[in-house]
Each structure stands twice: as C-alpha cells, then as structure tokens.
Amino acid sequence: MAGPDRVRRVVSHEQVVLGACRFFLQHGMVDMDRLAASLAVSRATLYRVAHSRDGLLGEVLWRFTERLLTQARQRRRHAGVDGVLEVTRAFVGQLHAAAPFRAFLRTEPDTAARVLFTTSGVVHRRVVSLQLDILREVHGDRPWSAGSLDQMAYLYVRIIESAVYAELLGAAAPDPELVERAARAVLQSG
C-alpha cells in the first residue's frame, strides 16, 4: 500500500515502449528493473503495462526494424526484383552496423531467437507484412495472386533471416551471393 508521501505514476504503453527503445539503444538490452527506475515507476507497474519482457523486447525490436526498413525503402533507386534486393542489402547493412542490436544477439541469443522468430513474437509477423508491402509497391503490375504474394514474402523473409541470424540458428553465415541468388529465385518465381 502506498504511503502518504509515495506518489503513484501513471505510464502508458507507448511511454514504456519508447523508454525501452531508448534503453535498448544505450545498453543493447532491456533490464526491467533499470527501465522501471528510468521511467520512475515500480517494477510491478512496468510489468502491468508491458505484460512481459519478451513482449516489450518484441515491440522494441519491431520499431528498430521498421525504422531501418523504412530508411532502406526511401533510398531505393531500382524497381522490380532489383529494387527489393536493394532494400534488403541496405537493411542488412544497417543491422550489421547497429552495435546495440549486435550486442543483444551476442549476449541474449535464446531470447533473441524467441522474440525474433516465433509466432508468439510480433517481429517476424510484422516483418513479413512489411515485406509484402515492399513486394506490392515494386511489383504492383505483376499478376500474382494474393496467396502467392503472401507466400513469397514469408519465404523471402525466412531466407534473409537464415543469413542475418545464422549464429542464432546454430549455423555458419552462408555466402552472401548464394543468399542473394536464393532470394532472387523466390522473387522471380511469381
């Protein structure tokens, strides 16, 4: 029970996510105790708003991913398959250069795999949806069925994930040229 000189702070989900984003960019991780302190809320309040650390990390990683993909899309100069691959190359380059993200993958590989790849996380599902948008904008005049485009987006994302996150999947990083040929094959199959 709160005492007379103890003030309860109300914090929104958006404030928690933004605070977690800032924390992640500074530390390459999210420590719930330290995040609660930085937001001037109790740990219980933080969990009441965020629900779980994995869920919060999913939101943080999604915002990070969305920002990088948006930047890569804005710089795209080519159309068609080459445009899709150009966006992917720029995005992957930005991921590899992002020290906080690489630190997170290195220090919390199990958490990263769970949050990035599973259907319970939001990241994979949203990346596939965003990839679908990318396919539609550069291939809008192609006569693909919606189902085949959905499958192409899913397969394309899984190919890229298998290369970018090879260490999380217990494999050596594949040859980038081979990855690009496989991704191109998926894009040209439609």
Side-chain angles (χ1 to χ4, degrees), residues 1 3 10-11 16 26 30 39 43 56 66 84 99 101 116 124 128 133 152 154 158 171 173 175 179:
M1 179 167 237
V10 177
V11 65
V16 166
Q26 290 174 350
V30 174
L39 294 171
R43 192 171 192 267
L56 184 56
E66 182 182 36
V84 174
F101 184 68
L116 290 168
H124 175 75
V128 170
D133 290 344
M152 284 176 61
Y154 173 82
R158 283 300 191 198
D175 174 32
V179 173

Side-chain angles (χ1 to χ4, degrees), residues 38-111:
S38 74
L39 294 171
V41 297
S42 69
R43 192 171 192 267
T45 297
L46 179 60
Y47 273 98
R48 189 171 34 259
V49 174
H51 304 294
S52 72
R53 180 174 183 265
D54 280 5
L56 184 56
L57 278 166
E59 290 296 330
V60 167
L61 294 176
W62 164 245
R63 289 191 185 202
F64 180 73
T65 299
E66 182 182 36
R67 188 183 83 213
L68 295 182
L69 270 171
T70 298
Q71 290 170 353
R73 286 170 81 179
Q74 290 169 345
R75 289 192 296 263
R76 179 182 54 231
R77 294 181 323 253
H78 297 92
V81 169
D82 289 332
V84 174
L85 292 169
E86 178 184 14
V87 168
T88 301
R89 274 187 237 106
F91 169 71
V92 169
Q94 291 173 18
L95 271 183
H96 285 300
F101 184 68
R102 301 313 297 175
F104 172 66
L105 296 180
R106 190 175 50 259
T107 59
E108 296 191 59
D110 293 337
T111 302

